[in-house]
Amino acid sequence: KLDGDAVFGRVMAYKTRTPDEGLLESHRLYIDVQTTLDGAEGIEWHPRDTLARKQDYDPGRDFELWQRPGPPNVRLDMVPGMFCVLFPEDAHLAQQIVGGVARDIRKAVVKIRLDSIQ
């Protein structure tokens, strides 16, 4: 925790995967700031308001899931030294393979509660 539940972060490690194995998600209460620490991962971006809902919003976990409509509008290939900021209107699918090969990565995600900056 950096500032109670207003700003907190976590470090994650996992193996990248194909888009069909991932979850397209968005949040309502928090902004995500994501950075890759080791390895490389792709993150797909889709405008939330163009998507069909796959799973209703879970307020306890602050996420909802969306149907992946096909190739993304934008794809970021994240490597160490890069970061992205994802707002509530930004549906995103992380953990994507870069370069055709699944790899272990480590990343940090900082969550900023939207009402703490408004």
Side-chain angles (χ1 to χ4, degrees):
K1 294 191 177 209
L2 303 170
D3 183 14
D5 67 350
V7 181
F8 63 92
R10 64 184 181 150
V11 175
M12 298 175 276
Y14 49 79
K15 187 174 285 294
T16 56
R17 52 193 177 178
T18 66
D20 295 336
E21 298 172 294
L23 298 173
L24 181 59
E25 67 178 13
S26 66
H27 312 287
R28 293 186 185 180
L29 301 177
Y30 286 90
I31 297 166
D32 277 3
V33 180
Q34 299 192 15
T35 187
T36 302
L37 303 172
D38 294 310
E41 81 169 324
I43 299 177
E44 292 187 5
W45 174 87
H46 299 266
R48 181 184 68 189
D49 63 356
T50 66
L51 301 171
R53 184 171 280 110
K54 182 176 183 176
Q55 182 178 318
D56 289 339
Y57 178 69
D58 180 338
R61 296 172 61 195
D62 185 40
F63 78 88
E64 55 198 318
L65 300 179
W66 303 95
Q67 297 288 338
R68 183 174 181 264
N73 290 9
V74 175
R75 178 187 158 105
L76 304 170
D77 285 342
M78 304 288 292
V79 297
M82 295 177 67
F83 72 93
C84 67
V85 180
L86 300 159
F87 290 86
E89 61 271 15
D90 301 325
H92 51 284
L93 192 156
Q95 302 181 355
Q96 299 304 294
I97 290 173
V98 173
V101 178
R103 295 186 173 93
D104 292 322
I105 72 143
R106 198 166 57 95
K107 75 188 273 184
V109 177
V110 174
K111 309 282 268 180
I112 303 168
R113 198 176 64 225
L114 192 58
D115 66 2
S116 71
I117 60 170
Q118 294 179 327

